[in-house]
């Protein structure tokens, strides 16, 4: 081969390193020849989806030969009704990552910039770099802040200038679990120039029941540059189906609609999401399991003298007080998959998804074994 096909790619693409997903159970078990493993690595719902969503998927199997409704009419209208916005404001995505990517494709490129925080969701730098735009990374809160390693909106604001087309704000953020209150976030949005889109990523919105936590959708009428993204991958337990959405003013939604693939969301995904949206009981049960599990993990950490970042999501970022990679690898041998977050600039933390009570207990027990072996505590 005389041609280097990596060199041939666009400059932004050449410099990308692929997203590192949580290790699937099947991969681990194949690699280590073990069984009975658990995955607490990708912030999935341990209860799975609503049974009504599963039933809806079964019900659409006879129609698999037909292309989906590309506009996702029924789901889009149901989301709009639930959120009390016009259907023209809603764009469906192949996961909410798709919406983030569509925003990048439509608004970023050479000569533009985008702003996000250190320790923010890994997809932001990927989206930005691929377009050739400049990625500006704001310093995060200090470890002693009440939202340690969380977004510092003042630091983010100073990086925004006339070239900045997008600022990404994750509320709550992954992997830190930190969150922003309504007053602080709204004054930030209000101060951002209209030529910069503020993308508020609310992937964990439904889990948060904290006083002062905002529903950014309510601000859409006031700020035409605001975009809110949400997903069915997390609390709704439909990560495999890839379905999420963005809510924005109709012009931005129109732009996203121009760049999206005509059939970016599948029929099974649309019908499952529609059914999931109507099952409030499953939603509430999922939120309660998470609340209790988060407390179980936090108590477990306190009892072991391990620091953690207070979390508003369905995961806990735990400081193991030493390089976390070997701890992660030893946990794998215990059949427990969690997420190392060194690539997020947190080399001594592990991010653990809240599981069922017995899964959380198993993680804590395995962590004890791993930390005491080799005298790590
Ligand atoms: C998981 C996650 C998403 C959404 O992922 P999709 O499965 O593509 O919907 C978006 N933002 C953050 C911060 C996340 O953690």
């Amino acid at each position: 081969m005389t041609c280097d096909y990596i060199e041939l790619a666009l400059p932004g693409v050449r410099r990308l390193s692929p997203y590192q997903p949580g290790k699937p159970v099947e991969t681990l078990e194949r690699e280590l020849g073990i069984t009975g493993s658990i995955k607490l690595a990708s912030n999935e719902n341990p209860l799975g989806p609503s049974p009504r969503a599963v039933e809806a998927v079964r019900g659409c199997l006879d129609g698999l030969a037909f292309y989906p409704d590309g506009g996702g009419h029924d789901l889009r209208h149901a989301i709009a009704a639930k959120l009390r916005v016009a259907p023209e404001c809603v764009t469906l995505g192949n996961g909410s990552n798709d919406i983030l990517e569509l925003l990048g494709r439509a608004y970023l490129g050479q000569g533009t910039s985008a702003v996000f925080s250190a320790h923010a969701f890994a997809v932001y730098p990927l989206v930005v770099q691929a377009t050739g735009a400049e990625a500006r990374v704001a310093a995060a809160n200090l470890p002693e802040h009440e939202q340690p390693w969380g977004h510092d909106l003042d630091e983010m604001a100073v990086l925004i200038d006339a070239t900045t087309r997008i600022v990404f704000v994750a509320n709550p953020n992954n992997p830190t679990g930190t969150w922003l209150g309504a007053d602080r976030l709204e004054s930030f949005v209000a101060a951002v120039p209209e030529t910069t889109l503020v993308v508020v990523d609310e992937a964990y919105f439904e889990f948060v029941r904290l006083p002062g936590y905002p529903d950014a959708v309510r601000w859409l009428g006031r700020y035409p540059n605001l975009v809110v993204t949400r997903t069915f991958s997390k609390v709704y337990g439909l990560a495999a189906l890839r379905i999420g959405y963005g809510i924005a003013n109709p012009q931005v939604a129109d732009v996203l609609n121009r760049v999206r693939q005509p059939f970016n969301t599948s029929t099974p995904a649309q019908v499952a999401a529609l059914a999931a949206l109507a099952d409030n009981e499953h939603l509430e049960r999922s939120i309660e399991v998470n609340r209790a599990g988060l407390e179980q993990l936090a108590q477990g950490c306190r009892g072991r003298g391990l620091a953690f970042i207070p979390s508003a999501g369905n995961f806990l970022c735990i400081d193991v007080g030493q390089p976390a990679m070997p701890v992660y690898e030893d946990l794998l041998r215990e059949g427990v998959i969690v997420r190392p977050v060194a690539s997020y600039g947190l080399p001594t933390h592990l991010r653990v998804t809240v599981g069922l009570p017995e899964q959380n207990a198993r993680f804590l027990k395995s962590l004890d074994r791993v930390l005491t072996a080799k005298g790590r505590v």
Side-chain angles (χ1 to χ4, degrees):
M1 214 158 61
T2 55
C3 180
D4 184 327
Y5 291 95
I6 291 176
E7 282 305 306
L8 204 58
L10 296 170
V13 177
R14 283 204 294 270
R15 287 193 304 272
L16 287 180
S17 28
Y19 179 79
Q20 301 275 346
K23 196 186 264 288
V25 162
E26 296 72 18
T27 310
L28 175 71
E29 299 195 338
R30 178 162 25 84
E31 285 171 359
L32 296 186
I34 58 175
T35 54
S37 314
I38 57 168
K39 181 188 180 206
L40 301 174
S42 300
N43 303 343
E44 295 143 336
N45 184 341
L47 293 179
S50 158
R52 295 201 220 167
V54 177
E55 201 43 51
V57 171
R58 281 205 188 93
C60 80
L61 295 180
D62 284 341
L64 292 186
F66 299 101
Y67 278 101
D69 170 6
H73 176 276
D74 294 355
L75 178 58
R76 223 155 39 75
H77 282 250
I79 290 167
K82 180 157 181 147
L83 302 183
R84 289 175 285 128
V85 299
E88 297 73 47
C89 298
V90 181
T91 308
L92 301 182
N94 195 261
S96 56
N97 279 325
D98 190 25
I99 304 293
L100 301 175
E101 212 169 291
L102 295 174
L103 286 162
R105 178 123 49 93
Y107 288 100
L108 299 175
Q110 290 283 338
T112 68
S113 65
V115 171
F116 49 85
S117 175
H119 320 297
F121 187 41
V123 167
Y124 310 150
L126 289 178
V127 162
V128 176
Q129 282 175 38
T131 68
E134 180 196 345
R136 297 182 180 167
V137 185
N141 291 335
L142 296 172
E144 44 282 353
H145 192 279
E146 62 171 315
Q147 299 285 332
W149 292 280
H151 292 13
D152 181 336
L153 294 176
D154 294 326
E155 291 288 334
M156 295 176 74
V158 299
L159 297 182
I160 297 170
D161 65 19
T163 68
T164 310
R165 289 289 153 273
I166 300 180
V167 52
F168 293 98
V169 178
N171 196 32
N173 181 45
N174 165 20
T176 58
T178 49
W179 62 285
L180 296 155
D183 295 346
R184 190 63 201 87
L185 182 56
E186 192 183 355
S187 38
F188 172 81
V189 175
V192 170
E194 283 205 339
T195 48
T196 302
L197 295 176
V198 184
V199 178
V200 178
D201 179 343
E202 296 185 340
Y204 302 94
F205 173 82
E206 299 84 356
F207 286 112
V208 193
R209 294 278 164 91
L210 295 160
Y213 173 74
D215 174 353
V217 171
R218 300 279 61 88
W219 303 337
L220 282 162
R222 258 169 278 167
Y223 310 105
N225 56 335
L226 180 61
V227 182
V228 181
T229 61
R230 293 193 187 162
T231 183
F232 289 93
S233 299
K234 304 289 160 61
V235 78
Y236 289 104
L238 292 170
L241 288 178
R242 314 305 306 126
I243 182 105
Y245 56 95
I247 315 121
N249 93 59
Q251 275 192 356
V252 173
D254 178 8
V255 166
L256 298 182
N257 199 39
R258 293 177 196 205
V259 291
R260 72 173 176 84
Q261 285 186 28
F263 304 104
N264 64 331
T265 62
S266 72
T267 305
Q270 289 178 23
V271 299
L274 191 60
L277 215 47
D279 192 346
N280 221 41
E281 215 177 294
H282 185 78
L283 177 73
E284 289 301 322
R285 198 175 322 126
S286 301
I287 293 166
E288 176 51 26
V289 164
N290 185 63
R291 190 203 56 74
L294 202 50
E295 187 47 35
Q296 184 187 0
L297 288 175
Q299 281 295 354
C301 289
R302 287 188 203 104
R304 288 162 176 81
L306 293 172
F308 58 88
I309 307 177
S311 173
N314 65 341
F315 53 88
L316 194 64
C317 211
I318 301 171
D319 188 348
V320 294
Q322 57 195 292
M325 206 59 190
V327 177
Y328 160 73
E329 281 162 2
D330 286 355
L331 284 170
L332 288 182
R333 283 185 274 277
E334 295 267 332
V336 176
I337 310 170
V338 297
R339 195 69 160 268
V341 284
S343 60
Y344 289 83
L346 297 166
T348 65
H349 285 78
L350 288 175
R351 193 196 68 195
V352 183
T353 300
V354 174
L356 298 172
E358 58 273 22
Q359 295 175 323
N360 301 327
R362 176 166 164 191
F363 158 73
L364 290 167
K365 219 168 157 187
S366 294
L367 185 63
D368 282 340
R369 270 200 294 271
V370 163
L371 292 181
T372 42
K374 304 173 187 167
R376 281 212 184 103
V377 277

